[in-house]
């Protein structure tokens, strides 16, 4: 189903929103995202049409409570939805995660004025918002001085420095940004991007997902009024919301979703070449076990830790994508083939919100030191 036809179906439907992870509209959406995914890798254009369609279909409402205009999907439903989206197009899905991160901080804040200002338009998909908080968790924490400082001044705060990894900063109406006061306390603010002295820099030329337009955002003594404060000041502002730490289920889910796309390609090749069947079957069985444990954990059955899930997901996505490339042979190494793109995208999980124990486990596996 083409983009225009899908939009026509949305406009004609009595209820246009995707209601469950099994909704045929979600499958139609994923088909469209899959068709357009390779072009994103080739031209690096921001996925504006993809995000617009997601907004039309109510994807952004999955993550919001009903009293704020959302569909209030359960964690298990969200995991199933993310699995399908990331198998279709990791770039689009990654940009959605950053948007969702901003929305969730808005949901959790006690600043009702900020909620009323931003959430209705975000739920409808009318605007894009993103986060600039990695420097408070895994990125730049090794530096002696915070990369983004805040000063408490009458009426608000003055921010000076930069947020190094912001997805879609030049396309966002607002960035939930983290900054550090001189006494070490941290705060989160909903920074409108039209604020004077706030400027999104050139996106970083990434190995993959360059269409996410991820790069630095500069704050040059920018004043943000007290009405923009969402959380803090606090010693560890990220701990004020449960599940806000790096390496949670969301990132593992996207890795498992990408692995499933690669394994589908490998399965198709194995139907024509029986020599591939053992490898395809072994990886498929591992994928099924991991997906089962992921969904069980999302449903509240803690079968293993989120750190263990992330370690397993990272390992599987790297091996599954490389298996798809090997099965595709030389054609898979030609720019434009999905197997090559999947391999590049899989490496992203080695650096995206990757806790040190997960990094250590990956290095041990690469060095042949795993059990």
């Amino acid at each position: 189903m083409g983009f225009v036809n899908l939009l026509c179906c949305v406009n004609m439907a009595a209820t246009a929103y995707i209601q469950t992870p099994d909704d045929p509209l979600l499958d139609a959406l994923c088909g469209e995202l899959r068709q357009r995914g390779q072009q994103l890798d080739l031209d690096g254009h921001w996925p504006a049409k993809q995000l617009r369609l997601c907004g039309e279909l109510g994807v952004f409402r999955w993550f919001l409570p009903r009293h704020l205009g959302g569909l209030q999907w359960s964690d298990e439903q969200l995991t199933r939805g993310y699995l399908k989206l990331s198998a279709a197009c990791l770039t689009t899905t990654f940009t959605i995660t950053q948007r969702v991160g901003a929305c969730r901080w808005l949901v959790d804040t006690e600043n009702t004025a900020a909620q009323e200002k931003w959430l209705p338009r975000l739920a409808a998909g009318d605007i894009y918002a993103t986060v600039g908080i990695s420097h408070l968790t895994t990125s730049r924490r090794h530096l002696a001085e915070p990369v983004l400082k805040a000063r408490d001044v009458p009426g608000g705060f003055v921010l000076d420095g930069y947020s190094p990894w912001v997805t879609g900063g030049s396309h966002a109406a607002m960035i939930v940004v983290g900054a550090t006061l001189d006494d070490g306390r941290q705060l989160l603010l909903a920074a409108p991007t039209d604020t004077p002295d706030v400027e999104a820099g050139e996106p970083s030329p990434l190995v993959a997902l360059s269409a996410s337009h991820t790069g630095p955002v500069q704050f040059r003594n920018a004043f943000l009024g007290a009405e923009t404060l969402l959380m803090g000041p606090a010693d560890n502002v990220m701990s004020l919301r449960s599940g806000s730490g790096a390496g949670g289920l969301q990132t593992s889910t996207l890795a498992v979703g990408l692995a499933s796309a690669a394994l589908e390609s490998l399965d198709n090749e194995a139907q024509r070449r029986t020599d591939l069947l053992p490898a395809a079957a072994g990886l498929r069985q591992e994928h099924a076990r991991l997906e089962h444990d992921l969904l069980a954990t999302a449903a509240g059955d803690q079968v293993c830790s989120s750190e263990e899930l992330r370690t397993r997901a990272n390992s599987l996505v790297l091996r599954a994508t490389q298996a798809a490339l090997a099965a595709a042979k030389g054609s898979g190494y030609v720019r434009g083939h999905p197997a090559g793109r999947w391999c590049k995208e899989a490496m992203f999980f080695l650096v995206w919100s990757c806790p040190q124990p997960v990094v250590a486990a990956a290095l041990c596996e690469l060095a042949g030191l795993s059990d």
Side-chain angles (χ1 to χ4, degrees):
M1 182 181 293
F3 183 82
V4 174
N5 290 335
L6 185 53
L7 274 181
C8 288
C9 290
V10 168
N11 293 332
M12 293 171 59
T15 173
Y17 298 152
I18 296 167
Q19 297 295 323
T20 71
D22 297 321
D23 193 319
L25 272 178
L26 177 55
D27 294 330
L29 170 63
C30 288
E32 183 62 31
L33 296 181
R34 186 176 298 107
Q35 182 178 334
R36 292 172 172 269
Q38 196 64 29
Q39 191 59 38
L40 287 179
D41 183 58
L42 294 174
D43 60 31
H45 292 166
W46 174 251
K49 290 183 178 180
Q50 290 88 329
L51 293 173
R52 176 194 166 199
L53 186 53
C54 288
E56 294 276 357
L57 291 169
V59 170
F60 306 137
R61 298 182 187 272
W62 298 354
F63 309 88
L64 298 176
R66 289 188 179 88
H67 72 278
L68 291 174
L71 296 173
Q72 198 168 327
W73 279 21
S74 68
D75 287 343
E76 182 181 8
Q77 287 178 309
L78 292 175
T79 299
R80 290 185 183 276
Y82 264 148
L83 284 170
K84 287 190 173 183
L85 290 173
S86 55
C89 178
L90 187 65
T91 296
T92 300
T93 311
F94 171 61
T95 64
I96 290 173
T97 67
Q98 304 308 287
R99 189 186 196 284
V100 169
C103 289
R104 283 184 161 165
W105 284 113
L106 284 168
V107 168
D108 289 345
T109 185
E110 296 180 358
N111 185 341
T112 56
Q115 291 178 337
E116 292 169 0
K117 178 177 182 178
W118 299 112
L119 280 177
R121 287 183 290 166
L122 286 167
D126 294 339
I127 59 173
Y128 182 76
T130 187
V131 290
I133 56 178
S134 66
H135 50 286
L136 300 183
T137 55
T138 58
S139 174
R140 302 302 198 276
R141 292 194 68 191
H142 59 284
L143 301 179
E145 292 290 328
V147 295
L148 184 54
K149 297 181 178 180
R151 297 198 316 274
D152 194 344
V153 298
F157 302 89
V158 171
L159 271 60
D160 190 46
Y162 71 106
S163 181
W165 299 107
V166 179
T167 294
S170 60
H171 306 276
M174 183 270 288
I175 302 170
V176 173
V177 65
T180 305
L181 295 165
D182 286 341
D183 61 7
R185 291 181 301 157
Q186 302 168 341
L187 62 162
L188 296 181
L189 305 104
T193 54
D194 60 0
T195 301
D197 302 312
V198 175
E199 181 182 358
E202 285 295 316
S204 301
L206 305 177
V207 172
L209 290 91
S210 286
S212 69
H213 290 189
T214 298
V217 172
Q218 303 286 338
F219 294 79
R220 298 183 174 89
N221 289 313
F223 174 78
L224 294 173
E227 72 278 3
T228 67
L229 182 65
L230 299 180
M231 293 281 179
D235 289 336
N236 181 7
V237 73
M238 299 294 288
S239 67
L240 298 182
R241 177 165 66 85
S242 61
S244 61
L249 290 186
Q250 174 185 266
T251 313
S252 299
T253 301
L254 268 60
V256 175
L258 177 59
S260 70
L263 291 179
E264 182 178 354
S265 175
L266 181 61
D267 287 340
N268 291 336
E269 289 289 338
Q271 297 305 312
R272 297 189 293 270
R273 295 161 51 196
T274 57
D275 60 302
L276 298 176
L277 285 172
L283 286 167
R284 180 59 72 183
Q285 290 171 6
E286 181 181 351
H287 178 272
R289 291 192 298 269
L290 178 54
E291 186 176 276
H292 172 273
D293 290 350
L294 180 71
L295 290 169
T297 302
D301 183 10
Q302 192 73 30
V303 295
C304 58
S305 68
S306 61
E307 185 178 289
E308 181 182 343
L309 284 172
R310 180 67 190 277
T311 299
R312 291 165 60 192
N314 274 21
S315 175
L316 177 63
V317 73
L318 289 166
R319 291 180 286 112
T321 54
Q322 290 180 53
L325 176 62
K329 297 187 175 181
S331 62
Y333 202 63
V334 176
R335 190 165 185 257
H337 194 286
R341 169 168 59 93
W342 294 330
C343 286
K344 293 187 298 179
E345 291 175 343
M347 291 190 290
F348 181 53
F349 294 98
L350 294 174
V351 297
W352 177 29
S353 296
C354 200
Q356 190 54 41
V358 178
V359 174
L363 291 173
C364 286
E365 182 175 15
L366 292 170
L369 300 176
S370 302
D371 293 335

